[in-house]
C-alpha cells in the first residue's frame, strides 16, 4: 500500500503546486519536450504515416522511458518517490494556467475591450480571433476550458494513477504531439495520423471521467447528462464531444456551431441546443467548474488506486 500512499501524497502536492504557482514562465519541461519533438520531426518528416508513427514512438516512448528510469532510481526512497510524483504532477497538470488565461479574456470582455480579448485568445486556443465577436470569443473560451480540463488535468491524473510517473509523462507527451502534428493540415494529414489516433486512445478515459464529474459538480447534473447523451457523438472529436457537451449542459449554455481555424470554416453540431448563448460571465463559471472537476478527479483516482490494490491483495491472500 506504500506505493498508493506515495502516489496520493505526491499527486496532491503536485496539484497544490499547480494551484498555487501555475506553470513556470521559463524552463517548462513540456516546452523542452516540444522543442525536442520539433527537432525529431525535422529529421524524420516524410509525407507518410509510417514515419509519423516512428515520430510518435521516438518522442512519447523516449519521454516515458526516461520517466521510468527516474522512477527506478528513487524506488527505494519514499521521500524521493513522493517528490518525483509531485514534480511530475506539477509539470504535466496545467489547470491553473488554463483558468488564469480564461479569466483574463473574460475580464477583458466584461470591460468591453474586445481587442485585448482577441489578442489573448490565441494563448488559449487556435480559433481565428478576428472572425469572432464578443459572444463568439466567450464561447470559444468556454469550449477550450472544457476540453483542456480533460487534456491538461483529468487525463493526466488518470494516467498517473494507472502508470505512475511514466503514465503522467507519457500522457502529456502524447497530448503535446497531437497539438503539434495531429491536425489535418496538408503537412500533417498523414505524418500526424499516428499521434492523433494515439491521443484519441489515451484521452478516452479522462474525457469520460471529466464529463461525469462535470455533471456531478455543475449547476445542472440532469442537463449535463442529457446533453452528453444526446449530442456528444455528433462532435468530430471522440473525446472533446462528451466533455464539451457535459460542460454545456452543466452550465446551461449552448456550445458548438460555426467556427474558424486558420482560415478554414467548420460547421460543428450544436451542443445542448436548449441552452442559451454563452456570455462573458459564463467564463468565470466554466473556470470554477474546471477547478472543482480537477479536485474531484484527484479524489477519484486516488480512491480507485486504493480500491483496486485492496481487491488485488485480497484475492492473493485468498
Amino acid at each position: 500500500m506504500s506505493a498508493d500512499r506515495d502516489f496520493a501524497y505526491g499527486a496532491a502536492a503536485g496539484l497544490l503546486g499547480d494551484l498555487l504557482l501555475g506553470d513556470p514562465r521559463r524552463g517548462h519541461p513540456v516546452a523542452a519536450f516540444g522543442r525536442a519533438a520539433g527537432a525529431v520531426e525535422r529529421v524524420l518528416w516524410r509525407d507518410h504515416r509510417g514515419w509519423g508513427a516512428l515520430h510518435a514512438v521516438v518522442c512519447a516512448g523516449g519521454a516515458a522511458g526516461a520517466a521510468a528510469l527516474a522512477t527506478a532510481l528513487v524506488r527505494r526512497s519514499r521521500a524521493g518517490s513522493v517528490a518525483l510524483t509531485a514534480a511530475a504532477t506539477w509539470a504535466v497538470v496545467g489547470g491553473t494556467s488554463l483558468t488564469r488565461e480564461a479569466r483574463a479574456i473574460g475580464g477583458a470582455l466584461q470591460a468591453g475591450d474586445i481587442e485585448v480579448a482577441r489578442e489573448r485568445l490565441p494563448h488559449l486556443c487556435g480559433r481565428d480571433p478576428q472572425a469572432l465577436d464578443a459572444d463568439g470569443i466567450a464561447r470559444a473560451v468556454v469550449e477550450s476550458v472544457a476540453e483542456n480540463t480533460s487534456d491538461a488535468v483529468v487525463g493526466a491524473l488518470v494516467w498517473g494513477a494507472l502508470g505512475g510517473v511514466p503514465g503522467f509523462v507519457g500522457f502529456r507527451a502524447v497530448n503535446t504531439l497531437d497539438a503539434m502534428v495531429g491536425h489535418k493540415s496538408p503537412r500533417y494529414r498523414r505524418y500526424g495520423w499516428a499521434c492523433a489516433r494515439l491521443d484519441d486512445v489515451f484521452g478516452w478515459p479522462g474525457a469520460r471521467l471529466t464529463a461525469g464529474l462535470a455533471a456531478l459538480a455543475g449547476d445542472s447534473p440532469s442537463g449535463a447528462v442529457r446533453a452528453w447523451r444526446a449530442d456528444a457523438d455528433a462532435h468530430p472529436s471522440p473525446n472533446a464531444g462528451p466533455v464539451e457537451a457535459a460542460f454545456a449542459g452543466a452550465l446551461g449554455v449552448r456550445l458548438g456551431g460555426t467556427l474558424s481555424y486558420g482560415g478554414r470554416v467548420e460547421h460543428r453540431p450544436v451542443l445542448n441546443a436548449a441552452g442559451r448563448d454563452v456570455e462573458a460571465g459564463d467564463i468565470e463559471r466554466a473556470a470554477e467548474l474546471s477547478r472543482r472537476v480537477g479536485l474531484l478527479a484527484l479524489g477519484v483516482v486516488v480512491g480507485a488506486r486504493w480500491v483496486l490494490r485492496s481487491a488485488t491483495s485480497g484475492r492473493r491472500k485468498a
Side-chain angles (χ1 to χ4, degrees):
M1 302 297 285
S2 62
D4 296 326
R5 286 195 296 269
D6 292 351
F7 172 80
Y9 296 152
L15 195 61
L16 179 62
D18 177 67
L19 289 171
L20 295 176
L21 304 173
D23 291 333
R25 295 187 181 277
R26 295 182 179 179
H28 197 297
V30 176
F33 171 80
R35 289 191 294 271
V40 172
E41 179 190 342
R42 288 191 290 274
V43 174
L44 294 182
W45 188 90
R46 307 287 190 281
D47 191 18
H48 190 276
R49 285 184 177 184
W51 285 94
L54 180 60
H55 175 87
V57 170
V58 169
C59 294
L69 177 60
T71 300
L73 292 174
V74 301
R75 181 166 291 147
R76 296 180 181 276
S77 168
R78 165 164 289 182
S81 296
V82 172
L84 182 62
T85 301
T89 306
W90 174 70
V92 304
V93 168
T96 296
S97 294
L98 168 67
T99 56
R100 184 181 294 161
E101 195 61 47
R103 284 170 167 140
I105 297 172
L109 290 176
Q110 290 187 309
D113 198 339
I114 191 171
E115 290 307 318
V116 170
R118 283 174 173 154
E119 288 177 7
R120 299 194 72 109
L121 185 63
H123 299 166
L124 196 63
C125 65
R127 307 281 176 87
D128 290 336
Q130 298 306 318
L132 299 172
D133 59 11
D135 288 348
I137 292 173
R139 190 189 76 189
V141 171
V142 171
E143 289 173 354
S144 184
V145 167
E147 184 175 2
N148 283 292
T149 299
S150 176
D151 289 343
V153 183
V154 180
L157 291 172
V158 167
W159 283 98
L162 291 172
V165 173
F168 275 125
V169 173
F171 174 81
R172 174 55 61 220
V174 168
N175 189 249
T176 302
L177 291 173
D178 178 61
M180 294 178 68
V181 304
H183 38 88
K184 294 182 179 179
S185 67
R187 177 176 174 84
Y188 296 123
R189 189 175 300 275
R190 281 185 281 271
Y191 186 81
W193 178 86
C195 291
R197 298 291 77 77
L198 197 60
D199 185 65
D200 288 343
V201 172
F202 272 65
W204 196 95
R208 274 71 193 168
L209 179 58
T210 303
L213 294 178
L216 180 66
D219 297 337
S220 176
S222 61
V225 172
R226 185 167 53 249
W228 178 6
R229 293 181 62 183
D231 301 327
D233 289 345
H235 196 286
S237 168
N239 295 328
V243 174
E244 292 183 18
F247 263 68
L251 297 171
V253 300
R254 185 167 55 249
L255 300 178
T258 302
L259 50 85
S260 177
Y261 282 103
R264 185 182 73 255
V265 176
E266 292 185 14
H267 300 284
R268 291 188 177 176
V270 173
L271 307 176
N272 192 38
R276 58 173 174 78
D277 289 338
V278 180
E279 301 170 352
D282 294 314
I283 293 176
E284 175 60 33
R285 297 175 62 225
E288 179 58 26
L289 178 57
S290 175
R291 186 187 69 84
R292 293 197 299 268
V293 167
L295 292 174
L296 285 171
L298 175 64
V300 168
V301 300
V302 168
R305 269 183 67 113
W306 184 83
V307 168
L308 290 173
R309 189 65 61 90
S310 296
T312 302
S313 298
R315 284 196 298 269
R316 287 175 180 171
K317 291 178 181 179

